[in-house]
Amino acid sequence: MSSVRQQIGLDVGALKARDTEDVIVGKEIIRHRLSSRVIHWLVADFFFLCAATGLPVFSPVFGWLGNLFGGLAVCRVIHPFAGLAFFASAAAMFLHWKREMQMTAQERGWVGPKLLEYLRDKANHDQIGKYNGGQKVFFYTAALAALGFLVSGVVLWFPLTFAGFLRQLAILVHNVTFIAFFVSIVFHIYLGTTAEPGTFNAMTRGTVSKAWARIHHPKWYRELMGTDK
Amino acid sequence: MSVQSLEIVRSSASTWGGLTGVRSLPVLSKYIDSSSCIGCKACEVACQEWNDLPVVKTSQVGTYQTLPELDASYWNLIRFEEREHENGFSWLMRKDQCMHCGDPGCLKACPAPGAIVQYANGIVDVNADQCIGCGYCATGCPFNIPKFHEKTAKMQKCTLCVDRTRLGLEPACVKSCPTGCLHFGTKEDMLVLASQRVGQLKKNGFAEAALYDPPGVGGTSVITVLAFGNHPEWYGLPKDPSIPWTIKLWKNVLRPFGFIAIVGAIVGAFGHHLYYGNKGHIDPAPLDDEPPQA
Ligand code: HEM
Ligand code: SF4
Ligand code: SF4
């Protein structure tokens, strides 16, 4: 069956990636099944919608972004709803991945020096499984940010209900969350694209090459190949 | 509005192009002598009439005060306070309205370009067509003035009768006041009148009489003489108002820091790539899919 499909050009890897992951198909490994990818891109799209409608409020320098949606007044209407959608998809993402993202004791070091080691290409990758410590740290950063955005955003949404110091605090929380998370996102995008060729494919087609897996996630690779001791 | 745009010296959320400041004008001021206010509310009525504001349902708050708070359609409220003190007991009346701050917190906090402007004559005005109803101005105002229209969510407040004062008329409230407790003119002149009144009050036994023109917000264009000047809080006024530190932190520190952090991250990512190249190419093993020999 599958050989016929291959002959007529059916993409077995992509088809299998609809509902399975962590399996080897020929020279490829399926890294993210379809549901994982859909959730990821929902979060990403709603994040960008939030950013595009929030940035003109952050500074008039980004007013042109607001104009794409019909002006600042429209952004003010869209943004909180986009925010709710962002939170909902981020919550789904959290539930979807939380088991795989449990951190081991050594991985806690990724919050500090290990992350720099990794960025300086000095890290020893040998024990890295499907996700490295940095990815896990980013996963929790996203969860925390979604929560911070939601709580402060709802306060900002209803100026008549919430007033006084609570609102001042909400402005600060929303702003700090935004800056911190946006900086993380820049690195997330960089590491997921140009920094490590082959990575972007994992979130689009769902697959990576065996070589990619062996270089970046050797323990995961060994587990799948059955060579892990 | 188009003529007045020549007089804009500050404009909310404007990078460049928002300010003209072509004309320089003397700073105008409304001087309120709270000690000679009899609480007749003529000014409240005059304000509603001149600005053509709809009727706002009054509510009985147990004092001689029309409403508990200012309203989007009620920009001028005589606050009433019954106060016991060592020399007996006083009814304190104070005209509550936008103070037209020299350094307006509402304007600083507002994210909508040109929604709040300050003219060369000191008046702080709202352009409802630019307002997005986000409520940030209320968060930035130390006097709790901005109020929002129920349906449109637009911010509305006292304009210092910008449409009268432009033509050399005094504000409607000043025109209507029967006791002469309201005056209008250049701030210079009003400061002279006010300090004369403070002197008079001191002679009459109000040793703590003072003028309320708080320097923390750059002075205000609405200045008030208080018989108990050491207790502005008796009149519902903050003792030493300034723009909330949170708003200053947000606009003066976090926002520039945010720009630097975000641009820095992007430049850093590019720099990293230039310096380290593609991650993975440091792996000495050949890039085929065979497992390395154990
Ligand atoms: C999770 C639910 C969220 C809610 C309910 C929410 C709500 C709000 C509200 C009501 C405002 C006030 C101004 C406006 O309405 O435009 C605001 C501002 C803002 N939001 Fe959100 N938001 C949420 C998520 C996000 C996310 C995910 C981002 C990420 C890009 C974001 C970025 C911003 C920015 C940059 C501002 C401008 C304020 C500043 O300068 O600090 N928001 N948000
Ligand atoms: S009193 Fe409030 S609303 Fe009026 S100018 Fe000052 S900060 Fe703005
Ligand atoms: S409610 Fe209107 S005037 Fe107030 S800060 Fe928002 S846009 Fe500016």
Side-chain angles (χ1 to χ4, degrees):
Chain A
M1 226 345 230
S2 79
S3 66
V4 174
R5 276 181 174 176
Q6 267 162 348
Q7 279 167 29
I8 61 171
L10 270 179
D11 190 340
V12 180
L15 285 176
K16 280 212 169 165
R18 287 193 299 205
D19 43 23
T20 44
E21 61 183 31
D22 298 339
V23 294
I24 297 168
V25 180
K27 291 194 168 209
E28 293 177 319
I29 300 177
I30 298 172
R31 186 162 166 84
H32 296 300
R33 64 185 187 273
L34 188 61
S35 60
S36 306
R37 284 174 276 147
V38 166
I39 289 178
H40 172 270
W41 289 115
L42 280 178
V43 176
D45 288 345
F46 286 127
F47 173 80
F48 282 116
L49 187 56
C50 286
T53 52
L55 276 168
V57 174
F58 178 73
S59 164
V61 169
F62 298 106
W64 56 276
L65 270 174
N67 291 344
L68 297 180
F69 299 88
L72 203 60
V74 183
C75 289
R76 161 71 180 151
V77 175
I78 296 177
H79 180 85
F81 290 103
L84 290 186
F86 169 78
F87 180 80
S89 46
M93 178 170 76
F94 184 77
L95 297 177
H96 188 82
W97 260 289
K98 80 174 191 311
R99 225 170 36 81
E100 287 184 287
M101 290 293 180
Q102 242 133 48
M103 288 185 91
T104 63
Q106 313 133 15
E107 277 167 352
R108 303 238 156 84
W110 276 82
V111 180
K114 272 222 182 141
L115 193 63
L116 290 179
E117 243 174 58
Y118 169 82
L119 287 173
R120 289 167 57 218
D121 278 349
K122 294 270 157 48
N124 176 4
H125 283 195
D126 193 52
Q127 287 307 312
I128 292 179
K130 185 167 181 186
Y131 300 103
N132 69 35
Q135 289 172 299
K136 292 183 182 178
V137 170
F138 180 70
F139 174 77
Y140 293 109
T141 308
L144 214 63
L147 207 64
F149 278 129
L150 180 76
V151 171
S152 57
V154 166
V155 172
L156 294 178
W157 197 351
F158 305 105
L160 299 186
T161 313
F162 306 97
F165 193 64
L166 185 65
R167 248 178 88 78
Q168 298 177 25
L169 218 59
I171 291 179
L172 292 185
V173 171
H174 213 74
N175 194 276
V176 169
T177 309
F178 169 70
I179 294 169
F181 193 49
F182 204 92
V183 166
S184 320
I185 286 280
V186 169
F187 282 102
H188 175 70
I189 293 173
Y190 168 59
L191 292 173
T193 54
T194 53
E196 301 180 359
T199 309
F200 196 63
N201 211 38
M203 259 311 156
T204 50
R205 193 160 176 278
T207 58
V208 293
S209 71
K210 282 182 178 169
W212 183 94
R214 205 180 73 236
I215 294 168
H216 297 294
H217 300 273
K219 190 166 155 55
W220 179 58
Y221 174 76
R222 291 195 302 267
E223 280 162 12
L224 295 183
M225 299 292 286
T227 54
D228 202 32
K229 337 127 216 161
Chain B
M1 205 51 66
S2 50
V3 176
Q4 257 161 330
S5 67
L6 297 178
E7 299 163 5
I8 293 173
V9 290
R10 272 189 231 224
S11 176
S12 56
S14 295
T15 37
W16 48 81
L19 313 181
T20 47
V22 170
R23 296 198 180 138
S24 59
L25 302 168
V27 172
L28 298 176
S29 185
K30 180 193 289 178
Y31 149 49
I32 302 165
D33 175 19
S34 67
S35 65
S36 56
C37 172
I38 56 168
C40 71
K41 328 289 201 241
C43 57
E44 292 184 5
V45 175
C47 180
Q48 296 303 103
E49 291 244 311
W50 175 260
N51 292 300
D52 206 7
L53 295 171
V55 174
V56 177
K57 197 161 172 273
T58 59
S59 54
Q60 176 55 267
V61 290
T63 73
Y64 290 111
Q65 191 172 313
T66 316
L67 294 171
E69 277 285 335
L70 292 169
D71 184 273
S73 300
Y74 213 83
W75 303 342
N76 172 26
L77 179 70
I78 300 299
R79 288 191 171 269
F80 176 94
E81 168 83 11
E82 214 170 56
R83 199 36 90 160
E84 276 182 76
H85 45 83
E86 58 253 38
N87 297 327
F89 137 99
S90 301
W91 278 5
L92 307 176
M93 319 272 185
R94 180 184 62 95
K95 188 178 187 300
D96 192 14
Q97 60 161 97
C98 172
M99 307 290 271
H100 297 274
C101 306
D103 186 10
C106 58
L107 190 152
K108 188 174 188 80
C110 174
I116 303 182
V117 293
Q118 185 183 45
Y119 301 120
N121 62 11
I123 293 179
V124 178
D125 202 6
V126 188
N127 288 316
D129 51 341
Q130 304 298 320
C131 169
I132 61 168
C134 63
Y136 279 11
C137 49
T139 308
C141 171
F143 301 100
N144 189 22
I145 299 300
K147 298 282 178 260
F148 303 91
H149 190 275
E150 255 173 62
K151 294 217 178 71
T152 63
K154 303 270 185 192
M155 191 269 261
Q156 287 166 233
K157 67 165 191 68
C158 157
T159 66
L160 210 64
C161 280
V162 70
D163 46 351
R164 294 173 57 88
T165 50
R166 249 191 67 61
L167 306 171
L169 299 172
E170 56 193 358
C173 55
V174 178
K175 180 113 187 143
S176 72
C177 178
T179 68
C181 90
L182 301 180
H183 296 265
F184 187 77
T186 63
K187 182 152 185 188
E188 222 182 328
D189 291 349
M190 292 305 109
L191 286 174
V192 173
L193 274 186
S195 66
Q196 282 170 0
R197 179 60 182 161
V198 169
Q200 247 178 354
L201 281 169
K202 284 193 166 155
K203 249 188 254 153
N204 292 353
F206 294 94
E208 304 293 345
L211 175 66
Y212 190 81
D213 181 17
V217 291
T220 53
S221 277
V222 172
I223 55 177
T224 312
V225 164
L226 308 173
F228 302 94
N230 53 335
H231 286 298
E233 73 282 1
W234 288 3
Y235 300 83
L237 285 168
K239 206 152 200 164
D240 194 10
S242 62
I243 299 179
W245 63 268
T246 45
I247 299 295
K248 289 193 221 160
L249 178 66
W250 170 37
K251 291 284 178 178
N252 298 348
V253 181
L254 287 175
R255 190 164 67 168
F257 170 78
F259 270 111
I260 294 170
I262 290 169
V263 173
I266 294 169
V267 172
F270 270 103
H272 183 273
H273 200 242
L274 291 177
Y275 191 75
Y276 289 101
N278 292 340
K279 250 184 99 54
H281 283 185
I282 46 139
D283 193 299
L287 286 173
D288 59 27
D289 58 10
E290 289 309 311
Q293 298 309 309

